[in-house]
PDB file of all heavy atoms in Angstrom:
ATOM      1  N   VAL T  11     141.513 -43.897 263.383  1.00 73.00           N
ATOM      2  CA  VAL T  11     140.854 -44.890 262.564  1.00 73.00           C
ATOM      3  C   VAL T  11     141.657 -46.185 262.567  1.00 73.00           C
ATOM      4  O   VAL T  11     141.085 -47.260 262.628  1.00 73.00           O
ATOM      5  CB  VAL T  11     140.706 -44.389 261.108  1.00 73.00           C
ATOM      6  CG1 VAL T  11     140.262 -45.495 260.160  1.00 73.00           C
ATOM      7  CG2 VAL T  11     139.763 -43.233 261.034  1.00 73.00           C
ATOM      8  N   TYR T  12     142.971 -46.085 262.512  1.00 82.00           N
ATOM      9  CA  TYR T  12     143.810 -47.279 262.380  1.00 82.00           C
ATOM     10  C   TYR T  12     144.486 -47.695 263.682  1.00 82.00           C
ATOM     11  O   TYR T  12     145.255 -48.637 263.688  1.00 82.00           O
ATOM     12  CB  TYR T  12     144.912 -47.002 261.347  1.00 82.00           C
ATOM     13  CG  TYR T  12     144.413 -46.520 260.004  1.00 82.00           C
ATOM     14  CD1 TYR T  12     144.635 -45.237 259.584  1.00 82.00           C
ATOM     15  CD2 TYR T  12     143.719 -47.378 259.156  1.00 82.00           C
ATOM     16  CE1 TYR T  12     144.190 -44.792 258.348  1.00 82.00           C
ATOM     17  CE2 TYR T  12     143.264 -46.941 257.916  1.00 82.00           C
ATOM     18  CZ  TYR T  12     143.503 -45.645 257.541  1.00 82.00           C
ATOM     19  OH  TYR T  12     143.062 -45.223 256.310  1.00 82.00           O
ATOM     20  N   ALA T  13     144.185 -47.029 264.774  1.00 86.00           N
ATOM     21  CA  ALA T  13     144.924 -47.236 266.013  1.00 86.00           C
ATOM     22  C   ALA T  13     144.921 -48.673 266.515  1.00 86.00           C
ATOM     23  O   ALA T  13     145.945 -49.149 267.014  1.00 86.00           O
ATOM     24  CB  ALA T  13     144.366 -46.307 267.100  1.00 86.00           C
ATOM     25  N   ASP T  14     143.819 -49.379 266.398  1.00 90.00           N
ATOM     26  CA  ASP T  14     143.733 -50.743 266.935  1.00 90.00           C
ATOM     27  C   ASP T  14     143.949 -51.809 265.866  1.00 90.00           C
ATOM     28  O   ASP T  14     143.534 -52.972 266.058  1.00 90.00           O
ATOM     29  CB  ASP T  14     142.381 -50.940 267.596  1.00 90.00           C
ATOM     30  CG  ASP T  14     142.182 -50.009 268.796  1.00 90.00           C
ATOM     31  OD1 ASP T  14     143.187 -49.730 269.485  1.00 90.00           O
ATOM     32  OD2 ASP T  14     141.049 -49.576 269.025  1.00 90.00           O
ATOM     33  N   MET T  15     144.572 -51.446 264.763  1.00 92.00           N
ATOM     34  CA  MET T  15     144.754 -52.367 263.659  1.00 92.00           C
ATOM     35  C   MET T  15     146.229 -52.600 263.392  1.00 92.00           C
ATOM     36  O   MET T  15     147.034 -51.660 263.537  1.00 92.00           O
ATOM     37  CB  MET T  15     144.072 -51.816 262.398  1.00 92.00           C
ATOM     38  CG  MET T  15     142.607 -51.528 262.568  1.00 92.00           C
ATOM     39  SD  MET T  15     141.947 -50.601 261.143  1.00 92.00           S
ATOM     40  CE  MET T  15     141.709 -51.949 259.997  1.00 92.00           C
ATOM     41  N   ASP T  16     146.568 -53.823 263.000  1.00 93.00           N
ATOM     42  CA  ASP T  16     147.958 -54.049 262.588  1.00 93.00           C
ATOM     43  C   ASP T  16     148.057 -53.746 261.090  1.00 93.00           C
ATOM     44  O   ASP T  16     147.061 -53.481 260.424  1.00 93.00           O
ATOM     45  CB  ASP T  16     148.420 -55.471 262.917  1.00 93.00           C
ATOM     46  CG  ASP T  16     147.713 -56.567 262.150  1.00 93.00           C
ATOM     47  OD1 ASP T  16     147.357 -56.351 260.968  1.00 93.00           O
ATOM     48  OD2 ASP T  16     147.552 -57.675 262.720  1.00 93.00           O
ATOM     49  N   GLN T  17     149.261 -53.786 260.569  1.00 93.00           N
ATOM     50  CA  GLN T  17     149.519 -53.373 259.168  1.00 93.00           C
ATOM     51  C   GLN T  17     148.672 -54.165 258.178  1.00 93.00           C
ATOM     52  O   GLN T  17     148.114 -53.601 257.251  1.00 93.00           O
ATOM     53  CB  GLN T  17     151.004 -53.525 258.867  1.00 93.00           C
ATOM     54  CG  GLN T  17     151.383 -53.066 257.488  1.00 93.00           C
ATOM     55  CD  GLN T  17     152.888 -53.146 257.241  1.00 93.00           C
ATOM     56  OE1 GLN T  17     153.664 -53.388 258.163  1.00 93.00           O
ATOM     57  NE2 GLN T  17     153.291 -52.952 256.019  1.00 93.00           N
ATOM     58  N   ASP T  18     148.594 -55.459 258.352  1.00 94.00           N
ATOM     59  CA  ASP T  18     147.819 -56.292 257.429  1.00 94.00           C
ATOM     60  C   ASP T  18     146.331 -55.939 257.467  1.00 94.00           C
ATOM     61  O   ASP T  18     145.651 -55.904 256.430  1.00 94.00           O
ATOM     62  CB  ASP T  18     148.021 -57.776 257.723  1.00 94.00           C
ATOM     63  CG  ASP T  18     149.435 -58.249 257.383  1.00 94.00           C
ATOM     64  OD1 ASP T  18     150.061 -57.631 256.491  1.00 94.00           O
ATOM     65  OD2 ASP T  18     149.890 -59.215 258.022  1.00 94.00           O
ATOM     66  N   GLU T  19     145.799 -55.679 258.644  1.00 93.00           N
ATOM     67  CA  GLU T  19     144.391 -55.300 258.773  1.00 93.00           C
ATOM     68  C   GLU T  19     144.122 -53.959 258.074  1.00 93.00           C
ATOM     69  O   GLU T  19     143.075 -53.781 257.456  1.00 93.00           O
ATOM     70  CB  GLU T  19     143.981 -55.214 260.246  1.00 93.00           C
ATOM     71  CG  GLU T  19     143.957 -56.550 260.966  1.00 93.00           C
ATOM     72  CD  GLU T  19     143.748 -56.411 262.442  1.00 93.00           C
ATOM     73  OE1 GLU T  19     144.318 -55.478 263.067  1.00 93.00           O
ATOM     74  OE2 GLU T  19     143.027 -57.248 263.006  1.00 93.00           O
ATOM     75  N   ILE T  20     145.048 -53.043 258.212  1.00 91.00           N
ATOM     76  CA  ILE T  20     144.881 -51.736 257.555  1.00 91.00           C
ATOM     77  C   ILE T  20     144.847 -51.911 256.051  1.00 91.00           C
ATOM     78  O   ILE T  20     143.992 -51.353 255.362  1.00 91.00           O
ATOM     79  CB  ILE T  20     146.033 -50.775 257.973  1.00 91.00           C
ATOM     80  CG1 ILE T  20     145.905 -50.428 259.462  1.00 91.00           C
ATOM     81  CG2 ILE T  20     146.002 -49.513 257.113  1.00 91.00           C
ATOM     82  CD1 ILE T  20     147.104 -49.720 260.024  1.00 91.00           C
ATOM     83  N   ILE T  21     145.775 -52.685 255.514  1.00 91.00           N
ATOM     84  CA  ILE T  21     145.832 -52.907 254.068  1.00 91.00           C
ATOM     85  C   ILE T  21     144.513 -53.482 253.564  1.00 91.00           C
ATOM     86  O   ILE T  21     143.944 -53.008 252.567  1.00 91.00           O
ATOM     87  CB  ILE T  21     147.017 -53.824 253.689  1.00 91.00           C
ATOM     88  CG1 ILE T  21     148.335 -53.082 253.960  1.00 91.00           C
ATOM     89  CG2 ILE T  21     146.921 -54.305 252.248  1.00 91.00           C
ATOM     90  CD1 ILE T  21     149.569 -53.970 253.911  1.00 91.00           C
ATOM     91  N   VAL T  22     144.000 -54.487 254.251  1.00 92.00           N
ATOM     92  CA  VAL T  22     142.750 -55.129 253.849  1.00 92.00           C
ATOM     93  C   VAL T  22     141.593 -54.150 253.948  1.00 92.00           C
ATOM     94  O   VAL T  22     140.745 -54.048 253.060  1.00 92.00           O
ATOM     95  CB  VAL T  22     142.493 -56.400 254.661  1.00 92.00           C
ATOM     96  CG1 VAL T  22     141.095 -56.934 254.432  1.00 92.00           C
ATOM     97  CG2 VAL T  22     143.542 -57.475 254.315  1.00 92.00           C
ATOM     98  N   ALA T  23     141.541 -53.382 255.040  1.00 91.00           N
ATOM     99  CA  ALA T  23     140.446 -52.434 255.235  1.00 91.00           C
ATOM    100  C   ALA T  23     140.445 -51.322 254.177  1.00 91.00           C
ATOM    101  O   ALA T  23     139.405 -50.934 253.679  1.00 91.00           O
ATOM    102  CB  ALA T  23     140.492 -51.851 256.646  1.00 91.00           C
ATOM    103  N   VAL T  24     141.621 -50.831 253.847  1.00 89.00           N
ATOM    104  CA  VAL T  24     141.725 -49.797 252.819  1.00 89.00           C
ATOM    105  C   VAL T  24     141.353 -50.383 251.459  1.00 89.00           C
ATOM    106  O   VAL T  24     140.571 -49.786 250.703  1.00 89.00           O
ATOM    107  CB  VAL T  24     143.161 -49.207 252.777  1.00 89.00           C
ATOM    108  CG1 VAL T  24     143.384 -48.368 251.534  1.00 89.00           C
ATOM    109  CG2 VAL T  24     143.403 -48.378 254.026  1.00 89.00           C
ATOM    110  N   ARG T  25     141.841 -51.555 251.162  1.00 88.00           N
ATOM    111  CA  ARG T  25     141.566 -52.185 249.867  1.00 88.00           C
ATOM    112  C   ARG T  25     140.115 -52.636 249.720  1.00 88.00           C
ATOM    113  O   ARG T  25     139.480 -52.353 248.708  1.00 88.00           O
ATOM    114  CB  ARG T  25     142.507 -53.379 249.678  1.00 88.00           C
ATOM    115  CG  ARG T  25     142.356 -54.047 248.316  1.00 88.00           C
ATOM    116  CD  ARG T  25     143.062 -55.384 248.256  1.00 88.00           C
ATOM    117  NE  ARG T  25     142.417 -56.300 249.166  1.00 88.00           N
ATOM    118  CZ  ARG T  25     143.010 -57.351 249.757  1.00 88.00           C
ATOM    119  NH1 ARG T  25     144.280 -57.588 249.531  1.00 88.00           N
ATOM    120  NH2 ARG T  25     142.372 -58.138 250.590  1.00 88.00           N
ATOM    121  N   ASP T  26     139.606 -53.320 250.698  1.00 91.00           N
ATOM    122  CA  ASP T  26     138.277 -53.961 250.558  1.00 91.00           C
ATOM    123  C   ASP T  26     137.121 -53.145 251.070  1.00 91.00           C
ATOM    124  O   ASP T  26     135.990 -53.311 250.639  1.00 91.00           O
ATOM    125  CB  ASP T  26     138.287 -55.330 251.274  1.00 91.00           C
ATOM    126  CG  ASP T  26     139.276 -56.299 250.672  1.00 91.00           C
ATOM    127  OD1 ASP T  26     139.697 -56.081 249.501  1.00 91.00           O
ATOM    128  OD2 ASP T  26     139.620 -57.277 251.352  1.00 91.00           O
ATOM    129  N   GLN T  27     137.367 -52.284 252.060  1.00 90.00           N
ATOM    130  CA  GLN T  27     136.277 -51.513 252.680  1.00 90.00           C
ATOM    131  C   GLN T  27     136.413 -50.019 252.429  1.00 90.00           C
ATOM    132  O   GLN T  27     135.664 -49.224 252.973  1.00 90.00           O
ATOM    133  CB  GLN T  27     136.236 -51.784 254.185  1.00 90.00           C
ATOM    134  CG  GLN T  27     136.040 -53.246 254.516  1.00 90.00           C
ATOM    135  CD  GLN T  27     136.391 -53.572 255.960  1.00 90.00           C
ATOM    136  OE1 GLN T  27     136.608 -52.676 256.763  1.00 90.00           O
ATOM    137  NE2 GLN T  27     136.447 -54.841 256.282  1.00 90.00           N
TER     138      GLN T  27
END
Side-chain angles (χ1 to χ4, degrees):
V11 169
Y12 306 110
D14 297 326
M15 303 170 80
D16 66 34
Q17 183 176 351
D18 291 332
E19 292 171 321
I20 293 169
I21 292 168
V22 170
V24 167
R25 183 192 65 206
D26 297 341
Q27 301 163 10

